[in-house]
Amino acid sequence: MSKEKYPIKATSYIINLLGDELIGSDSLAIFELVKNAYDADATLVTISFNDLDSPNRNIVIEDNGIGMTSSVIQKVWLTIGTDYKKKQAKISKKFHRISLGNKGVGRLAVHRLADEIFLESQSEGDLFGSSLHINWKELIQSEEYIEDLSVEVEDGISKEFPDKHGTRITLTSLKTKRWTKAILKELARKIVSIKNPFCDLDSFEIKLISNEQEKQHWLDEVQSPVWILNNSLYNFAFKIEPSTQNEFASFHWKYLFNPINFPGNSGIITESKESSDDTRLILRADVFDEQVDQNGERGRHILQNKDLIGIGPISGVFHVFNQNGRILDLTFGAGKRSAIKDFIKDNCGVKIFRDNIRVYNYGEPSDDWLDLELAKIQKIGDHFSKKVTIGAIFLSLEQSEDALKEKTNREGFTDNEAYRLLKSIVQETFAVFERTAISNRDAIEAFIKNTSVVRRVGFSTTIQELEAELTKRGLQQELSPLLKKVEKDYNDMRDVMLNSGMSGLNLSLIFHEIEREIRNLNQSLSLDEIDSSGLKHRVKSLLLLIENFAPIVKQNKKLKLKASQLIERAKQIHETRFKYHEIIFSSPVLTGDDDDFNIVGPGNLLLSALSNIIDNSIYWVKINSELRKDPQYRKAIYVGTDINSFDGPAIMIADTGTGFQMDPEDMILPFRTMRPEGMGLGLYYVNLVMETIGGKLLFPDRNDYNIPSVYDGAFVVLVFPKIENNDRK
């Protein structure tokens, strides 16, 4: 059997594929040329749009970089796919820039814009330059295979470079024949956004000019007005970087609410907040690509220094606007609504910059890489829309280029583990921004509607206030029956919502726990040697888990039960979680050390309420355990009783977690949460449950009550209405 080797060939048509079809847009084609100028240590790139309304239309891209010798043009510029920049010019000599272009196909991008190119370049220190002319159509048709194509390089340039060095590329036979205002402004806008508009990169400037006055006016309209960004209503800046103190990444942020020009009696005032020195970023546990442990769970939630390897430090800014006409008039002055709205529409989205040069396609109108619109639709609550958000993420090219790989077509990073982690980090950072701004958003909403900010949810108090106002105005007899019907209909609707809502919340917890137990069973069955006794134990644990959870999803009527019975049942529900997470559960009433008392109410809802609070405690105790890394630290939850300190007998829940990070009046509002995966409905429902029985949900100072000092985290009190002849132990 004979063997022969045959060469792999590429037809000349591959130039079409790599240029016209690989690069997705005209702006990306120019972007490739601008990146080449950046890599060449240029301080100025001038892009000229000339005679666009005539057959002689052309675009000239000129820079004052180091230029190219005839040899470099021949061996590098005319070589497709060269790794020259990787080997020779990783760091530029003058400004020490890390090379942005390293795939060797960017120079073909001009084929996207024009059929003809005239390149002139003069290397720094040379007396003369070199030039070449390419007609792409004629070149491709001249030979069948790409290796047979050739281009003449001539000595000499037609026009001297101002700095005696640089590169000039003139594009003629433009593929766009009719340059409307919309087309030119859109192209110009994307070119301007190549350079980071959020900081001053004084060593690199992009200038857009036209030899036609009307076109120049269009180009001038595109220049990014920084003053609009500075006057946005909500502003957030952050930086995430490895800590030098411990293993956790440091998370520093600063928030500014900026209601300029609002009337002094509006109640809308400037507010700023910032993180503490030990702030950490908490992510969903499934973000970290770690092996599931023997108990079926991933172990950590907090971003660590090691997670930033391959990504490097991450910083960014978010500017969010409110497009209500009244707000825009107050902020920017009357008569500017249309211009401001157009600016927001043209620039909305969150862009990514590496070394202050943009990574496409992030932040384009069709791109929503952070899923901001999806979150607004799917996660009901107070979320900022992409349509009113202008933001940027800043990365270090040197520290991120190995893990965050740009696609060859320049439309984002490859979807790998590093990119998915980056996305999760930025999404949660944006969520921190949203949570921080929530009270100011409430104030703006009330201002627009000319109402007051409602900080409580309770309906019964509102009814009482309305009845008092009716009495004051002599309308009680006329309207009171109608008001009573409204109250009854509301209570009926509330009861239905509570039963279905609390059941839904608890079902998510149930499914998580059952899935974990089933994973445990699968792991046990996959072992070479089956432990039958261990297997039976896991099956019993699963059955017990289902049995314990059953009561909280069943509807039942009001019943009379002891506080100790309610606490014991809640303890049973979470027993397996206490064991797995090594959490100490302490309840003096179960040992007879605290007073017991009777409770009357819907047993399933009361159990759901207490179970939800305990679930929150488990989560934040785990987080605190990750943070402290202290062998002396004890993960613990305390559930006690107090029949003397409140308006009625109370169940008190305390833990050794991180404590509350929100104001009490905010915590009982819907969709308010600090948990990355949380819905923000738990305490809202708990508050409604307590309201239905005439009780209260309180967040008092734990130091005022008889709680062991070790429980220095969250402290929650459920106060129940007094019952005559309430039995005590």
Side-chain angles (χ1 to χ4, degrees):
M1 183 181 293
S2 61
K3 294 182 180 180
E4 289 188 53
K5 289 185 178 181
Y6 295 95
I8 297 175
K9 295 184 177 182
T11 66
S12 302
Y13 183 69
I14 198 172
I15 292 178
N16 272 335
L17 297 176
L18 292 176
D20 190 25
E21 298 182 19
L22 178 65
I23 302 300
S25 66
D26 292 350
S27 59
L28 285 177
I30 292 182
F31 177 45
E32 291 300 316
L33 301 180
V34 173
K35 286 206 303 185
N36 287 341
Y38 178 87
D39 292 345
D41 271 336
T43 59
L44 174 65
V45 180
T46 302
I47 302 173
S48 306
F49 298 90
N50 302 315
D51 303 323
L52 292 182
D53 291 332
S54 78
N56 298 321
R57 63 183 68 89
N58 65 81
I59 299 175
V60 180
I61 301 96
E62 180 175 335
D63 68 65
N64 62 351
I66 60 173
M68 294 180 286
T69 64
S70 176
S71 175
V72 171
I73 291 174
Q74 295 174 46
K75 296 179 180 178
V76 179
W77 203 89
L78 290 174
T79 301
I80 299 172
T82 177
D83 59 354
Y84 170 79
K85 289 187 180 180
K86 284 186 177 181
K87 290 181 177 179
Q88 304 294 332
K90 189 72 172 177
I91 305 293
S92 67
K93 293 181 179 179
K94 186 180 295 184
F95 295 112
H96 308 291
R97 296 171 181 168
I98 298 174
S99 174
L100 293 170
N102 53 30
K103 297 182 183 296
V105 296
R107 60 194 59 92
L108 295 178
V110 292
H111 187 234
R112 170 90 192 188
L113 284 164
D115 287 330
E116 292 189 64
I117 174 176
F118 181 56
L119 179 144
E120 302 169 275
S121 191
Q122 182 176 346
S123 180
E124 189 171 17
D126 286 357
L127 293 176
F128 304 100
S130 301
S131 63
L132 63 84
H133 172 264
I134 298 175
N135 183 309
W136 293 107
K137 286 184 178 180
E138 293 178 0
L139 180 68
I140 292 169
Q141 293 172 3
S142 65
E143 298 290 348
E144 183 178 0
Y145 295 105
I146 194 169
E147 62 265 30
D148 297 324
L149 299 179
S150 60
V151 175
E152 290 183 353
V153 178
E154 299 181 9
D155 291 333
I157 55 177
S158 60
K159 179 183 176 183
E160 189 177 82
F161 289 98
D163 296 330
K164 307 298 183 182
H165 57 82
T167 299
R168 181 187 305 120
I169 296 176
T170 303
L171 306 176
T172 56
S173 300
L174 302 182
K175 294 186 177 182
T176 298
K177 304 301 181 185
R178 185 169 179 268
W179 288 82
T180 64
K181 181 177 181 180
I183 291 174
L184 183 59
K185 285 187 67 174
E186 177 64 12
L187 179 57
R189 184 188 66 79
K190 292 184 178 182
I191 294 171
V192 168
S193 72
I194 291 172
K195 178 184 155 185
N196 181 5
F198 299 90
C199 74
D200 185 18
L201 190 61
D202 56 4
S203 63
F204 187 65
E205 180 184 356
I206 302 172
K207 186 177 181 180
L208 305 181
I209 61 174
S210 173
N211 64 349
E212 299 171 90
Q213 186 175 357
E214 182 184 39
K215 303 294 191 298
Q216 185 63 54
H217 178 68
W218 296 350
L219 294 174
D220 291 340
E221 288 180 354
V222 173
Q223 304 304 313
S224 183
V226 176
W227 69 276
I228 295 181
L229 295 176
N230 292 338
N231 290 339
S232 59
L233 196 57
Y234 311 95
N235 302 273
F236 191 86
F238 74 93
K239 186 169 186 179
I240 299 168
E241 59 187 343
S243 170
T244 57
Q245 305 298 320
N246 51 51
E247 74 231 56
F248 301 113
S250 66
F251 176 39
H252 297 287
W253 57 263
K254 187 171 184 178
Y255 165 75
L256 174 65
F257 177 57
N258 189 34
I260 61 175
N261 300 328
F262 273 61
N265 61 354
S266 68
I268 308 295
I269 59 175
T270 300
E271 182 178 4
S272 63
K273 300 176 183 177
E274 57 185 298
S275 60
S276 62
D277 291 338
D278 59 349
T279 303
R280 305 291 178 234
L281 190 66
I282 301 172
L283 304 175
R284 302 187 318 273
D286 60 1
V287 165
F288 301 106
D289 190 19
E290 296 181 335
Q291 187 174 1
V292 176
D293 63 24
Q294 61 181 356
N295 288 287
E297 292 196 8
R298 293 175 174 88
R300 65 187 179 92
H301 303 73
I302 302 170
L303 188 70
Q304 297 183 4
N305 296 335
K306 66 179 182 179
D307 300 317
L308 297 178
I309 297 174
I311 297 177
I314 307 166
S315 59
V317 292
F318 302 120
H319 299 274
V320 174
F321 299 81
N322 186 305
Q323 297 200 74
N324 175 271
R326 186 181 175 195
I327 301 297
L328 290 178
D329 286 348
L330 285 171
T331 304
F332 299 101
K336 298 179 181 178
R337 290 186 189 180
S338 180
I340 299 301
K341 286 186 176 183
D342 286 345
F343 174 82
I344 297 170
K345 180 182 176 182
D346 290 342
N347 294 278
C348 68
V350 179
K351 300 174 176 62
I352 296 180
F353 296 87
R354 290 210 283 196
D355 285 4
N356 292 310
I357 300 298
R358 188 171 169 194
V359 178
Y360 276 96
N361 209 20
Y362 302 110
E364 285 299 288
S366 61
D367 171 75
D368 185 18
W369 68 285
L370 293 177
D371 300 324
L372 300 184
E373 291 301 305
L374 186 64
K376 191 166 182 64
I377 295 171
Q378 292 187 340
K379 300 177 182 178
I380 301 173
D382 296 297
H383 296 284
F384 287 128
S385 166
K386 168 186 174 288
K387 297 174 184 177
V388 294
T389 302
I390 299 177
I393 304 302
F394 311 126
L395 302 172
S396 161
L397 178 59
E398 182 178 19
Q399 297 188 55
S400 68
E401 65 174 341
D402 289 338
L404 294 173
K405 300 284 188 180
E406 285 189 61
K407 298 176 184 176
T408 303
N409 64 359
R410 305 303 185 194
E411 294 188 356
F413 295 123
T414 301
D415 187 8
N416 57 19
E417 181 182 337
Y419 169 69
R420 290 189 291 272
L421 178 56
L422 171 68
K423 178 177 176 178
S424 296
I425 290 171
V426 179
Q427 283 177 323
E428 182 52 34
T429 301
F430 194 81
V432 172
F433 171 32
E434 291 178 318
R435 292 193 290 264
T436 306
I438 193 67
S439 60
N440 298 128
R441 295 188 68 187
D442 288 344
I444 289 294
E445 190 69 19
F447 176 77
I448 292 171
K449 296 179 179 178
N450 200 27
T451 60
S452 59
V453 178
V454 178
R455 306 303 296 171
R456 62 174 182 273
V457 180
F459 184 75
S460 59
T461 305
T462 306
I463 290 289
Q464 292 170 8
E465 292 174 352
L466 190 55
E467 286 178 336
E469 188 66 24
L470 291 175
T471 302
K472 179 180 176 181
R473 298 178 181 274
L475 298 172
Q476 184 181 25
Q477 186 174 359
E478 181 181 353
L479 296 178
S480 184
L482 183 60
L483 200 60
K484 293 295 183 186
K485 186 178 187 307
V486 170
E487 185 175 15
K488 180 182 182 302
D489 289 345
Y490 167 80
N491 288 335
D492 291 343
M493 181 180 65
R494 179 195 60 190
D495 292 343
V496 172
M497 183 191 69
L498 274 176
N499 277 288
S500 59
M502 290 297 277
S503 296
L505 284 176
N506 286 292
L507 278 172
S508 64
L509 174 62
I510 294 168
F511 289 145
H512 172 75
E513 294 299 312
I514 291 176
E515 285 174 2
R516 180 168 59 82
E517 289 299 327
I518 290 175
R519 285 198 299 267
N520 292 341
L521 283 172
N522 284 332
Q523 287 183 349
S524 298
L525 289 171
S526 64
L527 298 175
D528 294 334
E529 295 185 10
I530 303 297
D531 179 5
S532 57
S533 61
L535 205 59
K536 288 179 181 178
H537 174 72
R538 291 197 178 280
V539 172
K540 287 181 179 179
S541 295
L542 181 59
L543 292 173
L544 181 62
L545 184 65
I546 296 172
E547 179 185 337
N548 285 333
F549 270 116
I552 68 174
V553 294
K554 293 180 180 177
Q555 296 188 23
N556 52 36
K557 298 180 179 179
K558 284 188 177 181
L559 51 84
K560 185 176 182 180
L561 71 161
K562 294 281 188 181
S564 58
Q565 292 176 290
L566 187 65
I567 296 169
E568 178 63 37
R569 198 58 166 156
K571 176 188 174 185
Q572 292 173 355
I573 287 171
H574 297 281
E575 194 75 57
T576 56
R577 301 179 73 200
F578 293 148
K579 290 180 180 177
Y580 167 65
H581 295 296
E582 298 179 340
I583 293 174
I584 301 168
F585 180 84
S586 175
S587 181
V589 71
L590 299 183
T591 59
D593 296 316
D594 271 3
D595 292 315
D596 205 351
F597 59 87
N598 289 323
I599 300 171
V600 175
N604 65 313
L605 294 184
L606 293 172
L607 183 57
S608 293
L610 182 56
S611 177
N612 182 271
I613 295 172
I614 292 175
D615 174 63
N616 282 339
S617 288
I618 291 173
Y619 178 85
W620 292 109
V621 164
K622 289 192 301 178
I623 294 297
N624 207 20
S625 176
E626 286 184 52
L627 284 169
R628 295 176 68 158
K629 297 289 184 182
D630 181 359
Q632 302 301 317
Y633 171 71
R634 292 292 177 265
K635 293 180 284 185
I637 297 173
Y638 170 95
V639 182
T641 60
D642 187 323
I643 64 172
N644 299 312
S645 302
F646 303 94
D647 294 341
I651 293 178
M652 304 183 297
I653 305 98
D655 60 47
T656 59
T658 58
F660 291 120
Q661 302 166 53
M662 297 175 66
D663 294 333
E665 59 266 28
D666 283 330
M667 290 189 289
I668 62 172
L669 294 175
F671 314 114
R672 307 292 171 90
T673 180
M674 299 299 292
R675 291 175 63 165
E677 72 275 25
M679 295 176 62
L681 288 173
L683 291 178
Y684 167 70
Y685 278 128
V686 172
N687 186 57
L688 285 182
V689 169
M690 296 307 294
E691 185 186 67
T692 62
I693 64 170
K696 298 177 183 177
L697 170 64
L698 302 177
F699 306 92
D701 186 342
R702 53 168 295 281
N703 293 317
D704 296 336
Y705 302 94
N706 188 26
I707 303 295
S709 59
V710 68
Y711 298 98
D712 56 357
F715 180 50
V716 181
V717 176
L718 302 177
V719 181
F720 298 87
K722 293 180 179 179
I723 302 173
E724 288 189 28
N725 301 320
N726 202 338
D727 298 327
R728 297 186 185 181
K729 266 194 171 182

